[in-house]
Amino acid sequence: QLQASGGGLVQAGDSLRLSCVASGRTFSTMGWFRLAPGKEREFVVAMWWSGSRPYYADSVKGRFTISRDNAKNTVYLQMNSLKPEDTAVYYCAAAEGLVSNWRLSKKYGYWGQGTQVTVSS
């Protein structure tokens, strides 16, 4: 029900845009998490589908932007000024309700399959 895409191998300073297509259900909250080797899953950004102000992790604030296309039921993650430490598998996540504790992965009941982002130095 969540299909993520758009990952790839880029150099530091480059940009990538990830996409997450939602289907089958109506989600009120959507976001992105990432999992790097040897680390715990990390919150990246989330927003309410109704258009609330997104909430970003400090590590990506000012570089990443989440947006949505209502007609396509798609959420995008525009990643600029990528750094090697951004290397991870990125997962889109969704919840049917309005999530307020954005960082808690357990609040999201639906997950995409993950897309690999690798940033070389």
Side-chain angles (χ1 to χ4, degrees), residues 79-93:
M79 305 185 295
N80 298 329
S81 303
L82 282 162
K83 305 175 180 180
E85 51 262 44
D86 294 319
T87 295
V89 178
Y90 284 71
Y91 297 89
C92 62

Side-chain angles (χ1 to χ4, degrees), residues 28-32 43 45-55 66-68 75-76 98-99 102 108:
S28 295
T29 305
M30 293 195 70
W32 292 90
F43 168 81
V45 61
M47 66 180 294
W48 290 340
W49 194 263
S50 60
S52 68
R53 182 178 179 180
Y55 180 76
I66 189 171
S67 63
R68 73 192 189 283
V75 169
Y76 302 100
L98 295 176
V99 173
W102 307 100
Y108 301 82

Side-chain angles (χ1 to χ4, degrees), residues 19-69:
S19 300
C20 178
V21 181
S23 62
R25 291 180 182 270
T26 300
F27 298 112
S28 295
T29 305
M30 293 195 70
W32 292 90
F33 287 74
R34 64 187 182 185
L35 181 61
K39 296 185 177 181
E40 295 185 353
R41 182 163 49 187
E42 178 187 17
F43 168 81
V44 177
V45 61
M47 66 180 294
W48 290 340
W49 194 263
S50 60
S52 68
R53 182 178 179 180
Y55 180 76
Y56 294 91
D58 288 343
S59 57
V60 306
K61 198 174 296 183
R63 300 187 298 121
F64 291 11
T65 303
I66 189 171
S67 63
R68 73 192 189 283
D69 184 327

